Amino acid sequence: MGWPRPAGPLVLRPPTSDDLDQVLVWRNRPEVIRWLLRTTVDPEAFRRAWLDSVEDPDQHTAVALLDGVIVGTGSLDVRDGMGQFDGDAWRGAEGDLGYLVDPAHAGKGYATDIARALLDLAFTELGLHRVTAGCFADNVASWRVMEKLGMRREQHGVRDSWHAELGWIDGFTYGILAEEWAPAS
């Protein structure tokens, strides 16, 4: 697996402890946690989880840099597919995609660049069958990223997602299959 890897104008690479210090400057801000499932994080637990993920073959986490400045993060977590356990095709066949952008750099397409690079990793290098991602239905920016990349809305959960500020709200799950993936040329 090649790191660092290009992501539009960004470069993705595994995080270091110093990188995570930079991420934590903006990670717990109200405008960031508003749309995350895991709201405020403990800095040490966050740092430990991200650094541990670097050595885990099923975790593909990265920081996104623009001219040496960390503007976002991305993750692709590989998991077994659901179904009958005959054969091995289901083992490590699916991925969960996540992305996050520093609010100071929002609205510039960086989330799309991060997600595109991780989908390309999923399908062209890891050989995954399918990747999914989810968000609160009210998080328009997030689901627009998924739709721009060709992901389809597969589930609209009615009031299935707890939001600390808004209460029970709708959630979306998006998915894309390997044969549907069209990497940028």
Side-chain angles (χ1 to χ4, degrees):
M1 206 143 347
W3 295 107
R5 59 191 313 110
L10 308 175
V11 173
L12 300 184
R13 66 166 169 72
T16 66
S17 187
D18 288 343
D19 295 335
L20 297 172
D21 289 340
Q22 290 181 53
V23 171
L24 284 163
V25 168
W26 50 268
R27 168 56 179 80
N28 285 336
R29 288 187 183 160
E31 66 270 33
V32 175
I33 65 172
R34 181 154 204 256
W35 296 117
L36 298 178
L37 293 179
R38 293 185 189 107
T39 54
T40 304
V41 293
D42 171 70
E44 286 311 308
F46 177 83
R47 187 178 288 101
R48 190 171 40 256
W50 274 75
L51 293 175
D52 288 350
S53 73
V54 172
E55 300 301 322
D56 185 335
D58 290 334
Q59 303 270 323
H60 305 278
T61 57
V63 290
L65 293 95
L66 178 68
D67 299 324
V69 175
I70 296 175
V71 299
T73 62
S75 63
L76 177 68
D77 300 331
V78 176
R79 67 183 194 296
D80 291 340
M82 184 174 67
Q84 298 176 346
F85 300 129
D86 292 342
D88 289 325
W90 55 275
R91 293 185 192 275
E94 296 190 10
D96 289 317
L97 175 68
Y99 43 86
L100 189 60
V101 173
D102 177 345
H105 299 278
K108 298 176 183 172
Y110 297 151
T112 304
D113 292 330
I114 293 166
R116 180 180 290 114
L118 291 173
L119 285 172
D120 195 56
L121 168 68
F123 297 128
T124 63
E125 290 187 42
L126 299 175
L128 298 187
H129 163 69
R130 169 182 161 79
V131 174
T132 59
C135 67
F136 291 113
D138 291 345
N139 188 351
V140 176
S142 188
W143 59 258
R144 280 190 177 153
V145 165
M146 294 180 245
E147 289 182 356
K148 276 186 224 174
L149 295 171
M151 297 180 82
R152 103 189 113 271
R153 187 177 299 167
E154 296 183 336
Q155 184 258 345
H156 177 162
V158 177
R159 294 177 56 189
D160 69 340
S161 302
W162 176 252
H163 190 282
E165 177 188 336
L166 303 173
W168 288 106
I169 63 174
D170 293 3
F172 291 153
T173 301
Y174 280 76
I176 188 168
L177 297 171
E179 60 264 23
E180 298 169 324
W181 176 240
S185 37

